[in-house]
PDB file of all heavy atoms in Angstrom:
ATOM      1  N   ALA O  39     138.022  95.779  77.261  1.00  0.00           N
ATOM      2  CA  ALA O  39     136.926  96.485  77.926  1.00  0.00           C
ATOM      3  C   ALA O  39     135.832  96.864  76.938  1.00  0.00           C
ATOM      4  O   ALA O  39     134.713  97.142  77.310  1.00  0.00           O
ATOM      5  CB  ALA O  39     137.465  97.728  78.607  1.00  0.00           C
ATOM      6  N   ARG O  40     136.194  96.906  75.650  1.00  0.00           N
ATOM      7  CA  ARG O  40     135.253  97.346  74.622  1.00  0.00           C
ATOM      8  C   ARG O  40     134.556  96.173  73.944  1.00  0.00           C
ATOM      9  O   ARG O  40     134.393  96.162  72.742  1.00  0.00           O
ATOM     10  CB  ARG O  40     135.987  98.182  73.574  1.00  0.00           C
ATOM     11  CG  ARG O  40     136.616  99.426  74.118  1.00  0.00           C
ATOM     12  CD  ARG O  40     135.576 100.510  74.171  1.00  0.00           C
ATOM     13  NE  ARG O  40     136.124 101.736  74.703  1.00  0.00           N
ATOM     14  CZ  ARG O  40     135.668 102.925  74.381  1.00  0.00           C
ATOM     15  NH1 ARG O  40     134.675 103.043  73.555  1.00  0.00           N
ATOM     16  NH2 ARG O  40     136.168 103.998  74.917  1.00  0.00           N
ATOM     17  N   ARG O  41     134.258  95.142  74.663  1.00  0.00           N
ATOM     18  CA  ARG O  41     133.483  94.054  74.080  1.00  0.00           C
ATOM     19  C   ARG O  41     132.512  93.519  75.120  1.00  0.00           C
ATOM     20  O   ARG O  41     132.670  93.790  76.319  1.00  0.00           O
ATOM     21  CB  ARG O  41     134.413  92.953  73.573  1.00  0.00           C
ATOM     22  CG  ARG O  41     135.181  92.228  74.663  1.00  0.00           C
ATOM     23  CD  ARG O  41     135.900  91.014  74.119  1.00  0.00           C
ATOM     24  NE  ARG O  41     136.674  90.350  75.163  1.00  0.00           N
ATOM     25  CZ  ARG O  41     136.181  89.501  76.048  1.00  0.00           C
ATOM     26  NH1 ARG O  41     134.892  89.227  76.046  1.00  0.00           N
ATOM     27  NH2 ARG O  41     136.953  88.939  76.957  1.00  0.00           N
ATOM     28  N   SER O  42     131.528  92.767  74.625  1.00  0.00           N
ATOM     29  CA  SER O  42     130.558  92.181  75.551  1.00  0.00           C
ATOM     30  C   SER O  42     131.124  90.880  76.111  1.00  0.00           C
ATOM     31  O   SER O  42     131.943  90.229  75.456  1.00  0.00           O
ATOM     32  CB  SER O  42     129.256  91.895  74.812  1.00  0.00           C
ATOM     33  OG  SER O  42     128.747  93.085  74.273  1.00  0.00           O
ATOM     34  N   PRO O  43     130.700  90.497  77.314  1.00  0.00           N
ATOM     35  CA  PRO O  43     131.226  89.254  77.887  1.00  0.00           C
ATOM     36  C   PRO O  43     130.734  88.009  77.153  1.00  0.00           C
ATOM     37  O   PRO O  43     129.622  88.003  76.616  1.00  0.00           O
ATOM     38  CB  PRO O  43     130.698  89.276  79.324  1.00  0.00           C
ATOM     39  CG  PRO O  43     129.581  90.242  79.334  1.00  0.00           C
ATOM     40  CD  PRO O  43     129.800  91.202  78.219  1.00  0.00           C
ATOM     41  N   THR O  44     131.585  86.976  77.126  1.00  0.00           N
ATOM     42  CA  THR O  44     131.159  85.696  76.566  1.00  0.00           C
ATOM     43  C   THR O  44     130.243  85.002  77.586  1.00  0.00           C
ATOM     44  O   THR O  44     130.103  85.492  78.715  1.00  0.00           O
ATOM     45  CB  THR O  44     132.370  84.784  76.309  1.00  0.00           C
ATOM     46  OG1 THR O  44     132.984  84.525  77.586  1.00  0.00           O
ATOM     47  CG2 THR O  44     133.376  85.438  75.388  1.00  0.00           C
ATOM     48  N   GLU O  45     129.678  83.871  77.209  1.00  0.00           N
ATOM     49  CA  GLU O  45     128.782  83.163  78.134  1.00  0.00           C
ATOM     50  C   GLU O  45     129.512  82.719  79.393  1.00  0.00           C
ATOM     51  O   GLU O  45     128.995  82.803  80.506  1.00  0.00           O
ATOM     52  CB  GLU O  45     128.155  81.959  77.438  1.00  0.00           C
ATOM     53  CG  GLU O  45     126.905  82.335  76.670  1.00  0.00           C
ATOM     54  CD  GLU O  45     126.152  81.127  76.171  1.00  0.00           C
ATOM     55  OE1 GLU O  45     126.249  80.064  76.782  1.00  0.00           O
ATOM     56  OE2 GLU O  45     125.464  81.268  75.149  1.00  0.00           O
ATOM     57  N   GLU O  46     130.758  82.237  79.189  1.00  0.00           N
ATOM     58  CA  GLU O  46     131.541  81.781  80.337  1.00  0.00           C
ATOM     59  C   GLU O  46     131.848  82.953  81.269  1.00  0.00           C
ATOM     60  O   GLU O  46     131.742  82.855  82.492  1.00  0.00           O
ATOM     61  CB  GLU O  46     132.839  81.138  79.847  1.00  0.00           C
ATOM     62  CG  GLU O  46     133.605  80.441  80.959  1.00  0.00           C
ATOM     63  CD  GLU O  46     134.947  79.904  80.496  1.00  0.00           C
ATOM     64  OE1 GLU O  46     135.206  79.900  79.279  1.00  0.00           O
ATOM     65  OE2 GLU O  46     135.740  79.516  81.367  1.00  0.00           O
ATOM     66  N   GLU O  47     132.207  84.084  80.641  1.00  0.00           N
ATOM     67  CA  GLU O  47     132.490  85.274  81.449  1.00  0.00           C
ATOM     68  C   GLU O  47     131.237  85.758  82.169  1.00  0.00           C
ATOM     69  O   GLU O  47     131.315  86.213  83.314  1.00  0.00           O
ATOM     70  CB  GLU O  47     133.038  86.389  80.552  1.00  0.00           C
ATOM     71  CG  GLU O  47     134.468  86.146  80.106  1.00  0.00           C
ATOM     72  CD  GLU O  47     134.894  87.105  78.995  1.00  0.00           C
ATOM     73  OE1 GLU O  47     134.007  87.660  78.302  1.00  0.00           O
ATOM     74  OE2 GLU O  47     136.100  87.273  78.799  1.00  0.00           O
ATOM     75  N   ALA O  48     130.092  85.655  81.494  1.00  0.00           N
ATOM     76  CA  ALA O  48     128.834  86.104  82.112  1.00  0.00           C
ATOM     77  C   ALA O  48     128.569  85.336  83.410  1.00  0.00           C
ATOM     78  O   ALA O  48     128.102  85.908  84.403  1.00  0.00           O
ATOM     79  CB  ALA O  48     127.685  85.932  81.137  1.00  0.00           C
ATOM     80  N   LEU O  49     128.914  84.058  83.406  1.00  0.00           N
ATOM     81  CA  LEU O  49     128.731  83.248  84.619  1.00  0.00           C
ATOM     82  C   LEU O  49     129.695  83.710  85.717  1.00  0.00           C
ATOM     83  O   LEU O  49     129.327  83.832  86.894  1.00  0.00           O
ATOM     84  CB  LEU O  49     128.972  81.764  84.285  1.00  0.00           C
ATOM     85  CG  LEU O  49     128.730  80.786  85.423  1.00  0.00           C
ATOM     86  CD1 LEU O  49     127.274  80.817  85.865  1.00  0.00           C
ATOM     87  CD2 LEU O  49     129.108  79.371  85.013  1.00  0.00           C
ATOM     88  N   GLN O  50     130.933  83.994  85.302  1.00  0.00           N
ATOM     89  CA  GLN O  50     131.918  84.471  86.278  1.00  0.00           C
ATOM     90  C   GLN O  50     131.495  85.835  86.849  1.00  0.00           C
ATOM     91  O   GLN O  50     131.681  86.104  88.033  1.00  0.00           O
ATOM     92  CB  GLN O  50     133.293  84.568  85.620  1.00  0.00           C
ATOM     93  CG  GLN O  50     133.840  83.194  85.240  1.00  0.00           C
ATOM     94  CD  GLN O  50     135.144  83.270  84.461  1.00  0.00           C
ATOM     95  OE1 GLN O  50     135.586  84.336  84.055  1.00  0.00           O
ATOM     96  NE2 GLN O  50     135.759  82.125  84.244  1.00  0.00           N
ATOM     97  N   LEU O  51     130.911  86.673  85.987  1.00  0.00           N
ATOM     98  CA  LEU O  51     130.460  87.995  86.452  1.00  0.00           C
ATOM     99  C   LEU O  51     129.312  87.842  87.449  1.00  0.00           C
ATOM    100  O   LEU O  51     129.225  88.591  88.429  1.00  0.00           O
ATOM    101  CB  LEU O  51     130.030  88.869  85.265  1.00  0.00           C
ATOM    102  CG  LEU O  51     131.146  89.241  84.278  1.00  0.00           C
ATOM    103  CD1 LEU O  51     130.609  90.141  83.174  1.00  0.00           C
ATOM    104  CD2 LEU O  51     132.302  89.921  84.980  1.00  0.00           C
ATOM    105  N   ALA O  52     128.442  86.861  87.196  1.00  0.00           N
ATOM    106  CA  ALA O  52     127.340  86.610  88.144  1.00  0.00           C
ATOM    107  C   ALA O  52     127.909  86.208  89.502  1.00  0.00           C
ATOM    108  O   ALA O  52     127.391  86.597  90.553  1.00  0.00           O
ATOM    109  CB  ALA O  52     126.425  85.519  87.602  1.00  0.00           C
ATOM    110  N   ALA O  53     128.993  85.432  89.460  1.00  0.00           N
ATOM    111  CA  ALA O  53     129.636  85.019  90.712  1.00  0.00           C
ATOM    112  C   ALA O  53     130.234  86.224  91.425  1.00  0.00           C
ATOM    113  O   ALA O  53     130.136  86.358  92.652  1.00  0.00           O
ATOM    114  CB  ALA O  53     130.716  83.983  90.427  1.00  0.00           C
ATOM    115  N   LEU O  54     130.842  87.126  90.641  1.00  0.00           N
ATOM    116  CA  LEU O  54     131.421  88.336  91.243  1.00  0.00           C
ATOM    117  C   LEU O  54     130.336  89.179  91.909  1.00  0.00           C
ATOM    118  O   LEU O  54     130.540  89.723  93.004  1.00  0.00           O
ATOM    119  CB  LEU O  54     132.137  89.169  90.180  1.00  0.00           C
ATOM    120  CG  LEU O  54     133.497  88.664  89.698  1.00  0.00           C
ATOM    121  CD1 LEU O  54     134.018  89.544  88.566  1.00  0.00           C
ATOM    122  CD2 LEU O  54     134.515  88.641  90.831  1.00  0.00           C
ATOM    123  N   GLU O  55     129.183  89.286  91.233  1.00  0.00           N
ATOM    124  CA  GLU O  55     128.059  90.030  91.825  1.00  0.00           C
ATOM    125  C   GLU O  55     127.712  89.460  93.195  1.00  0.00           C
ATOM    126  O   GLU O  55     127.441  90.184  94.142  1.00  0.00           O
ATOM    127  CB  GLU O  55     126.817  89.884  90.951  1.00  0.00           C
ATOM    128  CG  GLU O  55     126.703  90.856  89.796  1.00  0.00           C
ATOM    129  CD  GLU O  55     125.533  90.463  88.915  1.00  0.00           C
ATOM    130  OE1 GLU O  55     124.440  90.166  89.460  1.00  0.00           O
ATOM    131  OE2 GLU O  55     125.737  90.418  87.709  1.00  0.00           O
ATOM    132  N   GLY O  56     127.721  88.136  93.249  1.00  0.00           N
ATOM    133  CA  GLY O  56     127.346  87.446  94.481  1.00  0.00           C
ATOM    134  C   GLY O  56     128.264  87.759  95.645  1.00  0.00           C
ATOM    135  O   GLY O  56     127.869  87.644  96.808  1.00  0.00           O
ATOM    136  N   LEU O  57     129.500  88.186  95.345  1.00  0.00           N
ATOM    137  CA  LEU O  57     130.442  88.491  96.432  1.00  0.00           C
ATOM    138  C   LEU O  57     129.980  89.666  97.293  1.00  0.00           C
ATOM    139  O   LEU O  57     130.433  89.825  98.422  1.00  0.00           O
ATOM    140  CB  LEU O  57     131.829  88.791  95.854  1.00  0.00           C
ATOM    141  CG  LEU O  57     132.569  87.600  95.243  1.00  0.00           C
ATOM    142  CD1 LEU O  57     133.912  88.033  94.685  1.00  0.00           C
ATOM    143  CD2 LEU O  57     132.790  86.506  96.290  1.00  0.00           C
ATOM    144  N   MET O  58     129.093  90.487  96.728  1.00  0.00           N
ATOM    145  CA  MET O  58     128.627  91.639  97.510  1.00  0.00           C
ATOM    146  C   MET O  58     127.784  91.202  98.707  1.00  0.00           C
ATOM    147  O   MET O  58     127.549  91.991  99.614  1.00  0.00           O
ATOM    148  CB  MET O  58     127.791  92.587  96.638  1.00  0.00           C
ATOM    149  CG  MET O  58     128.574  93.315  95.567  1.00  0.00           C
ATOM    150  SD  MET O  58     130.160  93.998  96.094  1.00  0.00           S
ATOM    151  CE  MET O  58     129.728  95.077  97.420  1.00  0.00           C
ATOM    152  N   ASN O  59     127.315  89.964  98.682  1.00  0.00           N
ATOM    153  CA  ASN O  59     126.529  89.468  99.820  1.00  0.00           C
ATOM    154  C   ASN O  59     127.420  88.851 100.888  1.00  0.00           C
ATOM    155  O   ASN O  59     126.928  88.280 101.856  1.00  0.00           O
ATOM    156  CB  ASN O  59     125.518  88.428  99.340  1.00  0.00           C
ATOM    157  CG  ASN O  59     124.432  89.063  98.500  1.00  0.00           C
ATOM    158  OD1 ASN O  59     123.917  90.109  98.860  1.00  0.00           O
ATOM    159  ND2 ASN O  59     124.124  88.459  97.368  1.00  0.00           N
ATOM    160  N   MET O  60     128.725  88.902 100.672  1.00  0.00           N
ATOM    161  CA  MET O  60     129.655  88.286 101.632  1.00  0.00           C
ATOM    162  C   MET O  60     130.413  89.360 102.395  1.00  0.00           C
ATOM    163  O   MET O  60     130.640  90.454 101.872  1.00  0.00           O
ATOM    164  CB  MET O  60     130.667  87.428 100.876  1.00  0.00           C
ATOM    165  CG  MET O  60     130.054  86.207 100.262  1.00  0.00           C
ATOM    166  SD  MET O  60     131.363  85.142  99.654  1.00  0.00           S
ATOM    167  CE  MET O  60     130.402  83.732  99.169  1.00  0.00           C
ATOM    168  N   PRO O  61     130.860  89.020 103.605  1.00  0.00           N
ATOM    169  CA  PRO O  61     131.692  89.984 104.324  1.00  0.00           C
ATOM    170  C   PRO O  61     133.040  90.153 103.618  1.00  0.00           C
ATOM    171  O   PRO O  61     133.505  89.243 102.917  1.00  0.00           O
ATOM    172  CB  PRO O  61     131.862  89.344 105.708  1.00  0.00           C
ATOM    173  CG  PRO O  61     131.499  87.920 105.547  1.00  0.00           C
ATOM    174  CD  PRO O  61     130.578  87.816 104.383  1.00  0.00           C
ATOM    175  N   ALA O  62     133.649  91.300 103.827  1.00  0.00           N
ATOM    176  CA  ALA O  62     134.896  91.631 103.115  1.00  0.00           C
ATOM    177  C   ALA O  62     135.986  90.590 103.352  1.00  0.00           C
ATOM    178  O   ALA O  62     136.722  90.249 102.417  1.00  0.00           O
ATOM    179  CB  ALA O  62     135.374  93.006 103.557  1.00  0.00           C
ATOM    180  N   ASP O  63     136.083  90.084 104.568  1.00  0.00           N
ATOM    181  CA  ASP O  63     137.183  89.146 104.861  1.00  0.00           C
ATOM    182  C   ASP O  63     137.034  87.818 104.112  1.00  0.00           C
ATOM    183  O   ASP O  63     138.002  87.088 103.953  1.00  0.00           O
ATOM    184  CB  ASP O  63     137.326  88.926 106.371  1.00  0.00           C
ATOM    185  CG  ASP O  63     136.065  88.348 106.994  1.00  0.00           C
ATOM    186  OD1 ASP O  63     134.996  88.496 106.383  1.00  0.00           O
ATOM    187  OD2 ASP O  63     136.155  87.749 108.075  1.00  0.00           O
ATOM    188  N   ARG O  64     135.821  87.526 103.647  1.00  0.00           N
ATOM    189  CA  ARG O  64     135.638  86.303 102.855  1.00  0.00           C
ATOM    190  C   ARG O  64     135.707  86.596 101.355  1.00  0.00           C
ATOM    191  O   ARG O  64     136.128  85.758 100.567  1.00  0.00           O
ATOM    192  CB  ARG O  64     134.296  85.649 103.202  1.00  0.00           C
ATOM    193  CG  ARG O  64     134.287  85.098 104.623  1.00  0.00           C
ATOM    194  CD  ARG O  64     133.030  84.349 104.911  1.00  0.00           C
ATOM    195  NE  ARG O  64     132.930  83.131 104.129  1.00  0.00           N
ATOM    196  CZ  ARG O  64     131.849  82.365 104.090  1.00  0.00           C
ATOM    197  NH1 ARG O  64     130.791  82.714 104.784  1.00  0.00           N
ATOM    198  NH2 ARG O  64     131.831  81.272 103.369  1.00  0.00           N
TER     199      ARG O  64
END
Side-chain angles (χ1 to χ4, degrees):
Chain O
R40 299 276 179 152
R41 66 171 178 82
S42 301
T44 63
E45 274 190 27
E46 189 185 350
E47 286 168 338
L49 184 63
Q50 293 174 351
L51 295 182
L54 285 176
E55 275 172 46
L57 291 179
M58 292 316 302
N59 291 316
M60 291 190 174
D63 60 339
R64 292 185 67 188

